[in-house]
Amino acid sequence: NAGVMQNPRHLVRRRGQEARLRCSPMKGHSHVYWYRQLPEEGLKFMVYLQKENIIDESGMPKERFSAEFPKEGPSILRIQQVVRGDSAAYFCASSPQSGLSDYGYTFGSGTRLTVV
Amino acid sequence: GESVGLHLPTLSVQEGDNSIINCAYSNSASDYFIWYKQESGKGPQFIIDIRSNMDKRQGQRVTVLLNKTVKHLSLQIAATQPGDSAVYFCAERGWGSNTGKLIFGQGTTLQVKP
C-alpha cells in the first residue's frame, strides 16, 4: 500500500531549462495538492487539483508554472525557464476527498529542485 | 493578515522531559488545525489535529490545546525522545472555498538532548 510517490527525489536544472515534477497519489485518492518549501521556511500552498480539473491555483506564480492531473497517470508540476529562485523542495499531498476529512492529508517525500 | 506563526524557532529539551511548542494564528474563522512533524529530507508527517469546537485533543504522547480567545495553539509532547527531534509545523485549513488548502507556520525545530 504505497503512499504518495514523488519523483525524482532530486532534480538539478540549469537556468532556463524546464523542470517536471511528478506525483502519484495514494491509491484511491483523487485530490492532489502541491506545496513549495523554501529553505528554513514552512510550506506554501501552490495548487489543488482533482482529476482533469484545477480547483484552486491561488498559490501558483502567474508565469512559468503550470500543473495538471490527467485522467490517467501522475500529477505533473511543470516549471518553465527555471531561475535560481525556484530552488526549493516541492511537496505533493493527496486525499480521498477535498481535505475536509480528519487526518489532514498525506504528503510525499518531496522533490528537491536545485537550479544552477 | 492571514498568517500562522510560531513563537520560537528552536526548542531544546532534555530527553524524558515534556516539550511544548506554540503557535499563533491570525484568522478567527479558521476551523481546523493540524500539527505536522518533518524530519530532515522527508515530507511532513501528520501528528494530531483539532477542530475549532474543541479545546483539547490527546493522542499517543501528544496533546494539542486550542485557545480561540487568544488564537493560540500548542503541541505538548510527553516524555520527549530522541526520535522526536524534527521541525514541527502548525497549519490551519484555508477558509472560504472548502478546498482543503493549508496555511503553514514557519516551524519550530525541536532538539532533544540525550
Side-chain angles (χ1 to χ4, degrees):
Chain A
N1 186 15
V4 177
M5 304 300 293
Q6 290 189 250
N7 66 83
R9 289 295 306 276
H10 300 275
L11 182 62
V12 179
R13 284 288 177 265
R14 296 185 183 278
R15 281 178 294 171
Q17 291 185 319
E18 178 180 286
R20 280 182 178 245
L21 289 63
R22 287 176 289 277
C23 169
S24 295
M26 288 183 68
K27 186 176 181 181
H29 287 193
S30 58
H31 299 250
V32 165
Y33 305 79
W34 285 94
Y35 286 77
R36 176 166 62 176
Q37 185 177 33
L38 296 172
E40 307 298 319
E41 293 191 9
L43 283 75
K44 299 283 192 257
F45 171 82
M46 298 182 75
V47 63
Y48 161 46
L49 311 101
Q50 296 177 22
K51 287 283 188 180
E52 301 183 278
N53 285 303
I54 297 174
I55 307 303
D56 181 352
E57 57 181 346
S58 58
M60 287 279 272
K62 299 299 181 188
E63 299 178 347
R64 302 188 298 107
F65 285 72
S66 62
E68 62 177 9
F69 188 17
K71 185 177 181 180
E72 301 291 338
S75 176
I76 305 289
L77 179 67
R78 181 184 180 200
I79 311 172
Q80 296 177 291
Q81 300 175 335
V82 296
V83 301
R84 287 205 171 130
D86 297 333
S87 295
Y90 292 83
F91 291 96
C92 170
S94 74
S95 70
Q97 55 191 69
S98 63
L100 299 178
S101 60
D102 286 347
Y103 309 117
Y105 32 66
T106 304
F107 281 88
S109 295
T111 293
R112 277 130 188 98
L113 172 65
T114 302
V115 179
V116 297
Chain B
E2 301 172 358
S3 67
V4 178
L6 295 170
H7 294 311
L8 296 174
T10 302
L11 176 65
S12 185
V13 300
Q14 204 71 36
E15 181 179 357
D17 287 351
N18 296 335
S19 303
I20 300 176
I21 301 172
N22 296 305
C23 176
Y25 63 95
S26 61
N27 192 311
S28 57
S30 294
D31 64 351
Y32 180 55
F33 304 87
I34 307 173
W35 281 100
Y36 281 97
K37 172 186 180 182
Q38 187 177 26
E39 297 174 287
S40 181
K42 296 184 179 180
Q45 176 187 356
F46 173 91
I47 301 174
I48 192 167
D49 61 357
I50 189 168
R51 296 187 182 274
S52 59
N53 61 353
M54 302 171 69
D55 297 322
K56 178 180 180 179
R57 193 170 188 205
Q58 289 184 291
Q60 187 178 12
R61 283 202 307 120
V62 294
T63 301
V64 55
L65 299 177
L66 176 63
N67 186 331
K68 294 180 289 293
T69 302
V70 294
K71 291 184 285 187
H72 183 267
L73 194 68
S74 69
L75 176 70
Q76 300 178 1
I77 305 174
T80 311
Q81 302 169 359
D84 295 327
S85 294
V87 179
Y88 289 81
F89 295 96
C90 65
E92 63 184 303
R93 181 170 62 189
W95 45 92
S97 59
N98 290 336
T99 66
K101 168 184 173 181
L102 292 178
I103 310 296
F104 281 80
Q106 286 196 311
T108 292
T109 300
L110 177 63
Q111 298 174 340
V112 182
K113 296 178 288 185

